[in-house]
Amino acid sequence: MTEPYFLTIAQASALIRVRKLSPVELTEACLARVKRLDGRLNSHLLLLEEQALADAAQAEAEIAAGDWKGPLHGIPIGLKDIFNTAGIPTTAHSALFKEHVPAEDAFTVSLLRDAGAVITSKLATWEFAIGGSSFDLPWPPARNPWEVSLDPSGSSSGSAVAVAAGLCLGAMGSDTGGSIRGPAAWCGIAGLKPTYGLLSRRGILPLSFSLDHAGPMCWTSEDCALMLQALACHDPADSGSASVPVTDYSAGIGAGLSGLRVGVVRHFFEADLLTDPETIAALEASVAALADMGAVTTDVRLSPFGTYIDVGSLIARSESYAIHQHWLRTTPELYGAFARHRLMAGAFVTAADYINALRERTRLIAELAEVMRTVDVVIFPTARCPARPIGEDSMASGFQPFFNRAFNVTGSPALSICNGFSDTGLPLSLQIGGRPFEEALVLQVGHALERAMGTRARRPVVS
Amino acid sequence: MPLSLDAFGRMLDETGLPLTDAQKSVLFDAYPMFQAMLARATAPLPREAEPAVVFDPDVR
């Protein structure tokens, strides 16, 4: 039998529901694995052992009494440490917030608790979700479980590492410029950035008001659908929250793809940004697998990827500077160098530059909408290359490892999945983008491709 | 057009950010990349082109 910590949420939930798996034993297995491995992975800032075991025991009692709350009941879940937790430090991995203890849970965290999830941990992040894999913070940066000398990417680094290594079964991440999908790609898991506004941002430390998205990070697309079901909920206290009907996000899991129209944004990886041949080969194999499943693939064109980088960066820099300006002026020494430099760059963006970036964003949204009239989903790689050595990141390098900005700028849903492995055994990745609020279709395609590419049986061996 | 270190320093002073010389140097090295990004992302649009976020009294 699969070790409990390597079960998917769907598998564990099915066993828990019929009382063949104890939430307490499952939680204990994950906690033990954290203690055994996280000294090398650095994915955890805080392990909530006592509370997690109490919550698991409560879940077990509730289920035994016939009160099963749903697929997350009794499932160990970790939180990126920018999600507020009542009475528990929420540090943003920063000296500036080292003593920050919120009074309330983030809305999404309260929804997870309502669904019976067992919150096990506060997980590593790039500082304030922007800094980079930094060595000048109160905690070390998380490391890639496939090879600990490599970067897991970020900013939801701890979330991706913990899920891939079997330290929890699912995790929450946030995505302003790719911070769910990037680490999902380099750590070989599934990560969903939902449509802007589908998940509440209330109680999540903000980075960029109009680009911030919360989302699930899991081993499979199916698990992302299960988490999304518990998380998608209108929040009247979040001014960006969408009031839309909640659908069954698992409805398409296991369904066929016959007749599905798939657009391949080929110029992103063939012309706009130089992309690793193994990544392109895995994408072509995925295109072939989609055709075998009856999908109709065609090439589509959007604006050059660089346009999304520029527009997204200017908006993000402006909005994040507005948030951090006071602290940058008064206590700059409490930031790590990466975060400080990246945030300070926002000081150079004028109001006119910001507004013009927002105007260009309108054009990009309209352009994508027009393309999405001709296809049901679009695909392209998530990462241009497999994971790179940790510590390579620098302010001036300008290297963009990911094709992520586009769907932050447009606000539409995008899922990263693992669609293969490099010759050196590192995960390769594919991104599936959809129309606003069509997460169910995006997850359906992700699940079908994970099955077709056969990538979900292989876990990292932490050395 | 490339900025001199002195001109960049004056621009930084206007931001009110208390930077060391080393921090100024890092930002100065990265500034040309940022300038290029600004130039690319703010290409002329029709006068009536609206930003993505506009005031909508029905939203709240």
Side-chain angles (χ1 to χ4, degrees):
Chain A
M1 178 183 160
T2 305
E3 296 291 345
Y5 47 75
F6 276 157
L7 292 170
T8 66
I9 293 175
Q11 291 167 339
S13 174
L15 293 170
I16 286 172
R17 190 177 188 183
V18 297
R19 300 175 64 187
K20 288 187 175 174
L21 177 65
S22 149
V24 173
E25 288 172 11
L26 175 60
T27 302
E28 285 175 341
C30 289
L31 297 176
R33 194 161 167 82
V34 173
K35 290 176 183 174
R36 189 155 63 85
L37 298 181
D38 209 50
R40 276 165 279 170
L41 297 175
N42 305 331
S43 68
H44 279 58
L45 302 189
L46 183 61
L47 186 63
L48 307 170
E49 184 172 12
E50 192 176 331
Q51 187 62 51
L53 287 171
D55 291 346
Q58 182 181 331
E60 192 158 311
E62 289 166 345
I63 293 163
D67 181 21
W68 184 71
K69 294 180 177 178
L72 299 189
H73 204 174
I75 300 294
I77 300 286
L79 305 172
K80 181 179 185 177
D81 203 23
I82 63 167
F83 285 73
N84 281 349
T85 39
I88 298 167
T90 300
T91 69
H93 209 130
S94 177
L96 186 63
F97 267 41
K98 201 174 173 188
E99 311 299 329
H100 174 237
V101 181
E104 292 183 357
D105 283 338
F107 187 61
T108 43
V109 174
S110 67
L111 291 172
L112 289 171
R113 293 194 197 280
D114 291 347
V118 174
I119 306 298
T120 57
S121 43
K122 304 301 292 286
L123 299 169
T125 167
W126 287 359
E127 186 178 21
F128 286 108
I130 193 172
S133 291
S134 304
F135 292 87
D136 57 354
L137 303 176
W139 302 268
R143 289 178 174 271
N144 196 307
W146 295 87
E147 167 51 58
V148 294
S149 66
L150 299 179
D151 197 330
S153 183
S155 63
S156 308
S157 48
S159 303
V161 172
V163 169
L167 309 186
C168 54
L169 273 60
M172 290 302 296
S174 70
D175 193 319
T176 301
S179 285
I180 287 174
R181 293 160 289 157
W186 276 7
C187 293
I189 68 167
L192 174 70
K193 184 205 77 66
T195 307
Y196 182 80
L198 184 64
L199 266 58
S200 170
R201 302 162 304 157
R202 177 159 55 106
I204 304 169
L205 297 176
L207 176 60
S208 176
F209 302 111
S210 73
L211 295 168
D212 286 347
H213 304 67
M217 302 173 74
C218 303
W219 186 244
T220 65
S221 300
E222 180 180 24
D223 285 358
C224 286
L226 295 175
M227 280 190 71
L228 186 64
Q229 202 69 50
L231 294 162
C233 175
H234 176 57
D235 177 8
D238 174 358
S239 61
S241 179
S243 183
V244 293
V246 172
T247 57
D248 179 359
Y249 297 108
S250 298
I253 298 299
L257 301 183
S258 182
L260 183 82
R261 301 173 301 169
V262 179
V264 184
V265 194
R266 196 167 286 281
H267 64 87
F268 275 8
F269 56 92
E270 287 188 346
D272 298 348
L273 294 179
L274 184 65
T275 301
D276 158 70
E278 286 184 300
T279 298
I280 294 177
L283 179 127
E284 300 298 359
S286 301
V287 169
L290 287 165
D292 287 346
M293 290 185 276
V296 180
T297 61
T298 183
D299 293 352
V300 295
R301 284 203 73 82
L302 296 169
S303 284
F305 191 76
T307 305
Y308 293 98
I309 295 174
D310 295 337
V311 169
S313 296
L314 284 180
I315 295 170
R317 295 287 161 91
S318 307
E319 295 182 357
S320 58
Y321 186 73
I323 293 165
H324 285 272
Q325 183 186 48
H326 169 73
W327 293 310
L328 289 170
R329 284 180 172 170
T330 55
T331 54
E333 71 281 2
L334 293 182
Y335 290 90
F338 279 150
R340 186 172 55 238
H341 291 144
R342 285 176 175 168
L343 289 165
M344 282 180 172
F348 307 128
V349 186
T350 67
D353 294 333
Y354 174 62
I355 297 295
N356 282 329
L358 291 177
R359 296 168 82 203
E360 177 68 359
R361 180 189 207 175
T362 302
R363 188 189 70 75
L364 293 171
I365 292 169
E367 177 190 74
L368 178 62
E370 195 60 33
V371 167
M372 296 305 289
R373 289 161 63 97
T374 65
V375 294
D376 301 307
V377 295
V378 292
I379 62 169
F380 46 92
T382 306
R384 294 164 60 190
C385 55
R388 291 160 61 105
I390 197 163
E392 268 195 354
D393 201 357
S394 79
M395 172 77 177
S397 76
F399 181 71
Q400 296 281 344
F402 301 105
F403 292 101
N404 286 334
R405 283 272 186 200
F407 280 68
N408 293 89
V409 169
T410 63
S412 27
L415 170 73
S416 180
I417 63 163
C418 176
N419 69 335
F421 292 90
S422 70
D423 286 345
T424 54
L426 297 175
L428 303 171
S429 57
L430 179 82
Q431 191 162 176
I432 303 153
R435 301 186 193 96
F437 304 107
E438 292 195 358
E439 279 79 5
L441 179 61
V442 167
L443 291 160
Q444 176 182 342
V445 177
H447 175 79
L449 276 173
E450 285 169 347
R451 287 286 177 91
M453 307 306 289
T455 60
R456 296 301 72 199
R458 187 168 172 180
R459 288 274 192 168
V461 177
V462 180
S463 55
Chain B
M1 186 158 69
L3 274 181
S4 69
L5 185 55
D6 282 350
F8 184 73
R10 286 193 295 276
M11 192 168 73
L12 266 181
D13 290 343
E14 288 174 14
T15 68
L17 298 172
L19 295 169
T20 64
D21 286 345
Q23 290 165 354
K24 285 180 183 175
S25 175
V26 171
L27 284 176
F28 181 70
D29 289 345
Y31 190 68
M33 193 175 70
F34 196 69
Q35 257 186 321
M37 188 168 73
L38 278 170
R40 288 192 303 265
T42 57
L45 287 164
R47 189 173 299 172
E48 65 277 12
E50 289 275 6
V53 180
V54 294
F55 176 65
D56 178 353
D58 290 334
V59 169
R60 295 284 301 183

